[in-house]
Protein backbone atom coordinates (compact mmCIF):
# COMPACT_ATOMS: atom_id res chain seq x y z
CA UNK A 1 0.00 0.00 0.00
CA UNK A 2 2.86 2.34 0.76
CA UNK A 3 4.27 1.78 -2.74
CA UNK A 4 0.85 2.52 -4.25
CA UNK A 5 0.57 5.81 -2.38
CA UNK A 6 4.09 6.77 -3.46
CA UNK A 7 3.28 5.86 -7.07
CA UNK A 8 0.61 8.56 -7.11
CA UNK A 9 1.91 11.09 -4.58
CA UNK A 10 5.63 10.69 -5.21
CA UNK A 11 8.45 10.95 -2.72
CA UNK A 12 8.79 14.70 -2.52
CA UNK A 13 11.94 16.22 -1.04
CA UNK A 14 11.60 17.47 2.50
CA UNK A 15 12.70 20.99 1.57
CA UNK A 16 10.29 21.30 -1.37
CA UNK A 17 7.49 22.81 0.71
CA UNK A 18 5.01 20.57 -1.14
CA UNK A 19 2.67 18.33 0.86
CA UNK A 20 2.86 14.64 -0.01
CA UNK A 21 -0.75 13.93 -0.93
CA UNK A 22 -2.86 11.85 -3.28
CA UNK A 23 -5.71 13.57 -5.10
CA UNK A 24 -9.24 12.23 -4.97
CA UNK A 25 -9.07 11.44 -8.71
CA UNK A 26 -5.86 9.48 -8.12
CA UNK A 27 -7.52 7.53 -5.31
CA UNK A 28 -10.46 6.80 -7.62
CA UNK A 29 -8.06 5.61 -10.32
CA UNK A 30 -6.33 3.30 -7.83
CA UNK A 31 -9.67 1.72 -6.88
CA UNK A 32 -10.58 1.46 -10.56
CA UNK A 33 -7.26 -0.05 -11.68
CA UNK A 34 -7.51 -2.69 -8.97
CA UNK A 35 -11.16 -3.35 -9.92
CA UNK A 36 -12.37 -2.58 -6.39
CA UNK A 37 -14.76 0.12 -7.61
CA UNK A 38 -15.49 1.84 -10.92
CA UNK A 39 -14.03 5.35 -10.97
CA UNK A 40 -17.13 6.81 -12.64
CA UNK A 41 -20.09 4.57 -11.82
CA UNK A 42 -19.14 4.31 -8.14
CA UNK A 43 -18.00 7.92 -7.76
CA UNK A 44 -20.56 8.87 -5.03
CA UNK A 45 -19.62 5.78 -3.03
CA UNK A 46 -15.89 6.52 -3.28
CA UNK A 47 -16.46 10.14 -2.29
CA UNK A 48 -18.43 9.10 0.80
CA UNK A 49 -15.68 6.64 1.81
CA UNK A 50 -13.12 9.44 1.73
CA UNK A 51 -15.28 11.97 3.57
CA UNK A 52 -16.32 9.48 6.25
CA UNK A 53 -12.71 8.42 6.73
CA UNK A 54 -11.67 12.03 7.24
CA UNK A 55 -14.52 12.65 9.66
CA UNK A 56 -13.47 9.66 11.75
CA UNK A 57 -9.85 10.77 11.85
CA UNK A 58 -10.89 14.29 12.83
CA UNK A 59 -13.12 12.93 15.60
CA UNK A 60 -10.32 10.71 16.90
CA UNK A 61 -7.93 13.66 17.05
CA UNK A 62 -10.65 15.96 18.46
CA UNK A 63 -9.98 18.33 15.61
CA UNK A 64 -12.40 21.24 15.23
CA UNK A 65 -11.72 21.93 11.59
CA UNK A 66 -14.47 22.58 9.07
CA UNK A 67 -16.27 19.81 7.17
CA UNK A 68 -13.51 17.87 5.35
CA UNK A 69 -12.98 17.96 1.61
CA UNK A 70 -12.40 14.86 -0.48
CA UNK A 71 -10.00 16.73 -2.79
CA UNK A 72 -6.74 15.36 -1.34
CA UNK A 73 -5.66 12.49 0.93
CA UNK A 74 -2.60 12.38 3.14
CA UNK A 75 -0.74 9.10 3.58
CA UNK A 76 -2.61 8.48 6.85
CA UNK A 77 -5.96 9.24 5.23
CA UNK A 78 -5.16 6.95 2.29
CA UNK A 79 -4.40 3.99 4.58
CA UNK A 80 -7.50 4.69 6.68
CA UNK A 81 -9.69 4.94 3.55
CA UNK A 82 -8.35 1.63 2.22
CA UNK A 83 -9.18 -0.04 5.55
CA UNK A 84 -12.68 1.49 5.38
CA UNK A 85 -13.12 0.16 1.83
CA UNK A 86 -11.79 -3.28 2.81
CA UNK A 87 -14.25 -3.60 5.69
CA UNK A 88 -17.13 -2.58 3.43
CA UNK A 89 -16.15 -5.04 0.68
CA UNK A 90 -15.95 -7.83 3.28
CA UNK A 91 -19.44 -7.03 4.50
CA UNK A 92 -18.24 -5.87 7.90
CA UNK A 93 -18.02 -9.46 9.16
CA UNK A 94 -14.26 -9.65 9.79
CA UNK A 95 -11.61 -7.80 11.75
CA UNK A 96 -9.96 -4.96 9.85
CA UNK A 97 -6.64 -6.81 9.40
CA UNK A 98 -8.44 -9.76 7.83
CA UNK A 99 -10.47 -7.47 5.59
CA UNK A 100 -7.35 -5.69 4.31
CA UNK A 101 -5.60 -9.00 3.66
CA UNK A 102 -8.62 -10.19 1.67
CA UNK A 103 -8.67 -6.94 -0.32
CA UNK A 104 -4.97 -7.30 -1.10
CA UNK A 105 -5.28 -10.93 -2.18
CA UNK A 106 -8.49 -10.55 -4.19
CA UNK A 107 -7.92 -7.18 -5.87
CA UNK A 108 -4.54 -5.53 -5.31
CA UNK A 109 -2.15 -8.42 -5.92
CA UNK A 110 -3.71 -9.66 -9.19
CA UNK A 111 -4.60 -6.27 -10.66
CA UNK A 112 -1.76 -4.10 -9.34
CA UNK A 113 1.26 -6.06 -8.09
CA UNK A 114 1.22 -8.85 -10.66
CA UNK A 115 0.02 -6.54 -13.42
CA UNK A 116 2.95 -4.15 -12.93
CA UNK A 117 5.45 -7.02 -12.78
CA UNK A 118 4.16 -8.45 -16.07
CA UNK A 119 4.09 -5.11 -17.92
CA UNK A 120 7.50 -4.19 -19.36
CA UNK A 121 7.00 -0.43 -19.09
CA UNK A 122 5.49 -0.48 -15.58
CA UNK A 123 8.22 -2.83 -14.41
CA UNK A 124 10.87 -0.52 -15.86
CA UNK A 125 9.35 2.52 -14.14
CA UNK A 126 9.45 0.64 -10.83
CA UNK A 127 13.18 -0.05 -11.25
CA UNK A 128 15.68 1.72 -9.01
CA UNK A 129 17.30 3.53 -11.94
CA UNK A 130 14.01 4.93 -13.25
CA UNK A 131 12.80 5.82 -9.76
CA UNK A 132 15.97 7.84 -9.11
CA UNK A 133 15.38 9.86 -12.27
CA UNK A 134 11.72 10.40 -11.43
CA UNK A 135 12.43 11.46 -7.85
CA UNK A 136 14.92 14.06 -9.06
CA UNK A 137 12.53 15.38 -11.73
CA UNK A 138 9.15 14.85 -10.05
CA UNK A 139 8.35 18.44 -9.02
CA UNK A 140 9.41 19.89 -12.37
CA UNK A 141 7.50 17.30 -14.39
CA UNK A 142 4.47 17.93 -12.17
CA UNK A 143 4.67 21.63 -13.11
CA UNK A 144 4.47 20.66 -16.79
CA UNK A 145 1.43 18.46 -16.11
CA UNK A 146 -0.28 21.18 -14.05
CA UNK A 147 0.35 23.83 -16.71
CA UNK A 148 -1.30 21.78 -19.44
CA UNK A 149 -4.32 20.60 -17.43
CA UNK A 150 -5.22 24.04 -16.04
CA UNK A 151 -7.53 24.91 -18.99
CA UNK A 152 -9.39 21.58 -18.73
CA UNK A 153 -12.66 21.25 -16.84
CA UNK A 154 -11.46 18.83 -14.16
CA UNK A 155 -7.72 19.67 -14.14
CA UNK A 156 -6.83 16.23 -15.48
CA UNK A 157 -5.12 15.22 -18.72
CA UNK A 158 -7.45 14.22 -21.53
CA UNK A 159 -6.35 12.40 -24.69
CA UNK A 160 -6.26 15.68 -26.61
CA UNK A 161 -4.28 17.37 -23.85
CA UNK A 162 -1.76 14.51 -23.78
CA UNK A 163 -1.27 14.75 -27.53
CA UNK A 164 -0.63 18.49 -27.26
CA UNK A 165 2.07 17.98 -24.62
CA UNK A 166 3.79 15.31 -26.67
CA UNK A 167 3.78 17.51 -29.77
CA UNK A 168 5.03 20.58 -27.89
CA UNK A 169 7.82 18.50 -26.35
CA UNK A 170 8.87 17.20 -29.76
CA UNK A 171 8.10 13.61 -28.83
CA UNK A 172 5.42 13.45 -31.50
CA UNK A 173 5.99 15.10 -34.87
CA UNK A 174 5.40 14.84 -38.57
CA UNK A 175 8.00 12.82 -40.46
CA UNK A 176 9.83 14.37 -43.43
CA UNK A 177 7.73 14.07 -46.56
CA UNK A 178 4.74 12.69 -44.66
CA UNK A 179 1.30 13.95 -45.70
CA UNK A 180 -0.48 15.97 -43.04
CA UNK A 181 -3.52 13.65 -42.86
CA UNK A 182 -1.31 10.56 -42.67
CA UNK A 183 0.80 12.17 -39.96
CA UNK A 184 -2.24 13.10 -37.88
CA UNK A 185 -3.66 9.58 -38.11
CA UNK A 186 -0.32 8.06 -37.14
CA UNK A 187 0.16 10.43 -34.21
CA UNK A 188 -3.40 9.88 -33.00
CA UNK A 189 -2.82 6.12 -33.02
CA UNK A 190 0.45 6.46 -31.10
CA UNK A 191 -1.27 8.69 -28.51
CA UNK A 192 -4.19 6.32 -28.07
CA UNK A 193 -1.88 3.33 -27.67
CA UNK A 194 0.16 5.13 -25.01
CA UNK A 195 -2.95 6.49 -23.29
CA UNK A 196 -4.83 3.21 -23.01
CA UNK A 197 -1.67 1.11 -22.72
CA UNK A 198 -1.18 2.80 -19.38
CA UNK A 199 -4.56 1.36 -18.37
CA UNK A 200 -3.72 -2.10 -19.70
CA UNK A 201 -5.94 -1.72 -22.80
CA UNK A 202 -9.14 -2.36 -20.84
CA UNK A 203 -12.57 -3.21 -22.20
CA UNK A 204 -14.45 -0.12 -23.36
CA UNK A 205 -16.64 0.04 -20.25
CA UNK A 206 -13.49 0.19 -18.11
CA UNK A 207 -11.66 2.87 -20.12
CA UNK A 208 -10.79 6.06 -18.26
CA UNK A 209 -10.94 9.32 -20.17
CA UNK A 210 -8.10 11.04 -18.31
CA UNK A 211 -4.60 10.50 -17.01
CA UNK A 212 -3.51 11.49 -13.52
CA UNK A 213 0.09 12.63 -13.15
CA UNK A 214 1.82 9.26 -12.63
CA UNK A 215 -0.18 7.81 -15.54
CA UNK A 216 0.89 10.76 -17.70
CA UNK A 217 4.54 9.94 -16.93
CA UNK A 218 3.96 6.31 -17.86
CA UNK A 219 2.13 7.24 -21.06
CA UNK A 220 5.02 9.53 -22.08
CA UNK A 221 7.40 6.65 -21.44
CA UNK A 222 5.28 4.35 -23.61
CA UNK A 223 5.19 6.90 -26.41
CA UNK A 224 8.96 7.42 -26.27
CA UNK A 225 9.47 3.70 -26.87
CA UNK A 226 7.73 4.09 -30.24
CA UNK A 227 8.95 7.49 -31.40
CA UNK A 228 12.57 7.73 -30.22
CA UNK A 229 15.23 5.63 -31.84
CA UNK A 230 17.81 5.00 -29.15
CA UNK A 231 18.69 1.36 -28.56
CA UNK A 232 18.35 1.25 -24.77
CA UNK A 233 15.02 1.69 -23.03
CA UNK A 234 16.45 3.97 -20.34
CA UNK A 235 18.04 6.25 -22.97
CA UNK A 236 14.64 6.71 -24.61
CA UNK A 237 13.04 7.52 -21.27
CA UNK A 238 15.89 9.90 -20.35
CA UNK A 239 15.32 11.78 -23.61
CA UNK A 240 11.57 11.89 -22.97
CA UNK A 241 12.10 13.35 -19.48
CA UNK A 242 14.61 15.86 -20.85
CA UNK A 243 12.12 16.92 -23.54
CA UNK A 244 9.41 17.52 -20.92
CA UNK A 245 11.84 19.41 -18.68
CA UNK A 246 12.84 21.56 -21.65
CA UNK A 247 9.19 22.56 -21.96
CA UNK A 248 9.33 23.89 -18.40
CA UNK A 249 12.68 25.64 -18.92
CA UNK A 250 11.40 27.31 -22.09
CA UNK A 251 8.29 28.66 -20.36
CA UNK A 252 5.89 26.19 -22.01
CA UNK A 253 3.42 27.16 -24.69
CA UNK A 254 0.21 28.97 -23.80
Amino acid sequence: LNDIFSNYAGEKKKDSGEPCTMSFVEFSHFLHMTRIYHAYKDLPTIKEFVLETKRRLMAASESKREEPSEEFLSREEFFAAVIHVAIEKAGGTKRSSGCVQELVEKYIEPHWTEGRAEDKIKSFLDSEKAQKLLTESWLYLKQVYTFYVQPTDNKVMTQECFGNVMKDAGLLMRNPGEKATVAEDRMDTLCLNAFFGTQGFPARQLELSELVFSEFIEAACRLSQETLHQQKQFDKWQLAVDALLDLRRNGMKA
Side-chain angles (χ1 to χ4, degrees), residues 214-225:
S214 62
E215 295 164 350
F216 159 66
I217 295 299
E218 182 185 328
C221 181
R222 289 181 181 279
L223 190 85
S224 72
Q225 303 307 299

Side-chain angles (χ1 to χ4, degrees), residues 120-132:
K120 182 173 67 174
I121 300 297
K122 292 181 189 293
S123 182
F124 162 70
L125 289 174
D126 288 340
S127 70
E128 184 177 348
K129 192 174 184 180
Q131 282 298 307
K132 185 176 185 297

Side-chain angles (χ1 to χ4, degrees), residues 34 52 74 78 130 151:
T34 51
E52 182 58 27
S74 67
F78 166 71

